[in-house]
Amino acid sequence: MVTVAKKNVDLNFQDVLPAVRGRYSFGTLLSGLTWFQVGGPAEVLYKPEDVSDLQYFLKNKPSDLSYFLLGAGSNVLVRDGGYDGVVIKLGRGFSEITVQDNELVVGAASLDRTVAMFAMQHGMSGVEFLVTIPGSIGGAVAMNAGCYEFEVKDVLSWVEIVDDQGMLHKLFPHELNMSYRKSVLPIGCVIVRAAFKVTEGDAVGIQHNIQRYLQLREESQPTKGRTGGSTFKNPDHAKAWELIDKAGCRGMEIGAAKMSDKHCNFMLNTGGATADELERLGELVRQKVKKISEKELEWEIIRIGRAA
Ligand SMILES: Cc1cc2nc3c(=O)[nH]c(=O)nc-3n(C[C@H](O)[C@H](O)[C@H](O)COP(=O)(O)OP(=O)(O)OC[C@H]3O[C@@H](n4cnc5c(N)ncnc54)[C@H](O)[C@@H]3O)c2cc1C
């Protein structure tokens, strides 16, 4: 029986979930929705039709419902037992991209790469770095994603969020306390749109930047692997990959989980790994790094769900 997470364990989900226009599905495997391609099922997967449908859901959901917003799943490790509650996944109704004055206004489900390419095609500069980040705009804002010396916070104008009671708000970067791979968002909120500052640029220059970033990425990272990107954040005054390398963890394996040979802060599912193998490998790396350096590596990858 499908049940509401935590407290209402005897309630049937179908009886208590709001009658939305979007789609519910039950028991969908989340491995198909994450880059690692591991993880058990979501009790409920909810795909809202549009912003007002999402607002209706959040306003009328049971008050003790657990829910999680999954973007493109490029920074998430879902455990093998799956997620007890509702996983919300934004889709087509959240993917519009428009130009308004000097801002690119983007639905949260748009992929970072699509946004960078859109800007390039419209002769707009400022968001080229997004081309190599394989997530969605919602995930990019939530994680303050960045690379090649740019971060989302450098170019963000504002975001629109729906709070856990279904109310729509516009927030500005100073209200999000954005720092290295982190934004402080109201608990339970869903980012639905974001606007980025862009300037008119020279098409050749923009194209050149994009090509350069793509090439740099290809040279240094296993871009086609089943991975979650950087496993750990860089500690203050240190690089996670250097610590991992020094601790002898480059290429280390547990089952089919492996620390990449090419970029040793990337963890890989080399084929058939479980979330448990990946998580145990990450914890082992943390222990080994602590032993040689006294530094505590902090997971950058978001881990959700329960063990099998
Ligand atoms: C090959 C590879 C390379 C990578 N390179 C980089 C890099 O260079 N720089 C970098 O910063 N990251 C990198 N990453 C990590 C990842 O791509 C980014 O963190 C990305 O921004 C995550 O976006 P996502 O849509 O996949 O979010 P998910 O992984 O699905 O979720 C990440 C977090 O964001 C939250 N979230 C997602 N969407 C929303 C929303 N609409 N509203 C509220 N919360 C939301 C989720 O709840 C979760 O907490 C890489 C990953 C891979 C696989």
Side-chain angles (χ1 to χ4, degrees):
M1 183 172 74
V2 182
T3 56
V4 170
K6 292 199 278 190
K7 298 171 204 156
N8 299 334
V9 282
D10 7 334
L11 286 177
N12 192 311
F13 259 127
Q14 272 99 335
D15 297 336
V16 295
L17 289 174
V20 292
R21 286 180 286 114
R23 245 188 41 230
Y24 293 127
S25 47
F26 301 90
T28 304
L29 276 179
L30 294 172
S31 50
L33 299 178
T34 64
W35 268 63
F36 272 124
Q37 293 182 24
V38 300
E43 275 192 292
V44 181
L45 180 68
Y46 164 47
K47 295 189 175 170
E49 182 75 20
D50 52 28
V51 174
S52 65
D53 188 51
L54 174 68
Q55 287 182 272
Y56 183 83
F57 170 85
L58 290 169
K59 183 166 182 235
N60 295 290
K61 68 188 181 319
S63 60
D64 58 353
L65 182 77
S66 296
Y67 61 96
F68 178 80
L69 200 295
L70 184 66
S74 64
N75 212 206
V76 170
L77 179 63
V78 180
R79 297 194 177 98
D80 303 310
Y83 183 79
D84 295 340
V86 177
V87 170
I88 303 174
K89 174 96 181 143
L90 308 183
R92 207 173 296 156
F94 298 81
S95 58
E96 196 183 25
I97 307 178
T98 56
V99 182
Q100 293 173 19
D101 301 323
N102 282 336
E103 287 178 350
L104 211 52
V105 180
V106 179
S110 309
L111 293 177
D112 299 348
R113 183 190 172 90
T114 309
V115 173
M117 297 309 275
F118 179 97
M120 182 183 86
Q121 281 150 13
H122 289 77
M124 292 177 163
S125 179
V127 291
E128 292 94 316
F129 72 100
L130 288 176
V131 78
T132 61
I133 303 180
S136 67
I137 288 300
V141 173
M143 300 300 295
N144 185 26
C147 55
Y148 309 122
E149 298 183 7
F150 293 95
E151 289 180 311
V152 164
K153 79 176 171 59
D154 303 327
V155 287
L156 187 68
S157 284
W158 50 263
V159 282
E160 250 171 25
I161 60 151
V162 178
D163 70 20
D164 62 348
Q165 300 304 309
M167 299 292 292
L168 192 65
H169 307 268
K170 189 170 186 173
L171 299 177
F172 295 91
H174 71 271
E175 297 173 276
L176 304 180
N177 271 320
M178 298 172 88
S179 58
Y180 172 54
R181 300 298 168 267
K182 189 174 171 190
S183 295
V184 182
L185 292 158
I187 290 170
C189 83
V190 177
I191 297 161
V192 290
R193 279 203 311 169
F196 298 98
K197 294 173 242 168
V198 282
T199 51
E200 264 182 44
D202 137 58
V204 178
I206 298 170
Q207 202 167 358
H208 172 77
N209 284 342
I210 287 197
Q211 288 306 336
R212 189 163 56 91
Y213 292 148
L214 287 171
Q215 192 182 340
L216 282 173
R217 182 66 65 140
E218 198 58 42
E219 283 165 8
S220 62
Q221 293 178 2
T223 50
K224 293 178 184 71
R226 286 168 278 213
T227 176
S230 293
T231 309
F232 303 107
K233 296 185 184 186
N234 288 325
D236 286 344
H237 317 298
K239 295 239 179 287
W241 76 263
E242 279 178 358
L243 295 167
I244 294 169
D245 210 11
K246 265 197 202 139
C249 301
R250 185 183 289 271
M252 198 163 80
E253 292 170 273
I254 292 185
K258 178 172 184 180
M259 298 313 291
S260 160
D261 290 310
K262 192 170 185 183
H263 189 312
C264 62
N265 191 22
F266 274 46
M267 202 159 57
L268 294 169
N269 167 7
T270 60
T274 60
D276 181 58
E277 286 170 347
L278 289 159
E279 195 167 14
R280 280 193 289 124
L281 179 62
E283 285 302 324
L284 187 59
V285 170
R286 289 182 72 234
Q287 276 173 28
K288 288 186 177 284
V289 165
K290 174 92 199 265
K291 207 164 173 185
I292 58 136
S293 68
E294 281 305 306
K295 290 202 186 289
E296 294 269 5
L297 287 181
E298 185 190 339
W299 284 87
E300 178 173 324
I301 288 170
I302 312 283
R303 291 159 298 152
I304 63 161
R306 62 176 166 77

